[in-house]
Amino acid sequence: MWGRVRRIGGRVIDSLRTEERAAREERPHNLFEAAAAYVSACAEDDQDRIDEAAGWVSPEALSFGVNELACRAVIALARERDESPATVARELLGLPAA
């Protein structure tokens, strides 16, 4: 009889641990996490990850996050290369120098 009680108690505890773990894993993503995941998935041509990241936030928030990521990336590359952000942006897009 005590073995049965222990088994049931173990199942209840396992169930609570699973629910607690699931609750931690289901925290909402912010727009910058979504943008980083979306852009990296696009760079790797991973459609499943693209779709997943696109579902984390609204399309407007994702657009804002991707724009912010692009701005920060261009600024970082410009500083690294000691060039203007405009030069770096045009080069990344394959446009002729202005």
Side-chain angles (χ1 to χ4, degrees), residues 72-94:
R72 292 180 187 195
V74 167
I75 290 169
L77 280 173
R79 287 179 181 160
E80 184 178 295
R81 297 176 180 182
D82 198 28
E83 296 177 349
S84 74
T87 301
V88 171
R90 294 183 67 81
E91 184 180 314
L92 287 172
L93 293 171

Side-chain angles (χ1 to χ4, degrees):
M1 175 166 168
W2 289 112
R4 187 173 179 193
V5 169
R6 246 183 276 143
R7 264 183 290 153
I8 292 171
R11 288 183 192 152
V12 169
I13 290 172
D14 288 342
S15 167
L16 292 174
R17 286 181 183 151
T18 302
E19 289 175 11
E20 182 180 301
R21 189 177 318 116
R24 276 195 311 254
E25 292 172 357
E26 292 178 15
R27 71 172 179 76
H29 297 278
N30 71 38
L31 65 101
F32 296 116
E33 287 176 321
Y38 181 84
V39 170
S40 63
C42 287
E44 296 170 1
D45 198 27
D46 185 339
Q47 190 61 46
D48 291 335
R49 286 181 40 222
I50 291 170
D51 294 340
E52 179 184 356
W56 290 350
V57 295
S58 72
E60 295 82 12
L62 182 60
S63 177
F64 174 81
V66 169
N67 182 58
E68 185 66 23
L69 178 60
C71 290
R72 292 180 187 195
V74 167
I75 290 169
L77 280 173
R79 287 179 181 160
E80 184 178 295
R81 297 176 180 182
D82 198 28
E83 296 177 349
S84 74
T87 301
V88 171
R90 294 183 67 81
E91 184 180 314
L92 287 172
L93 293 171
L95 299 173

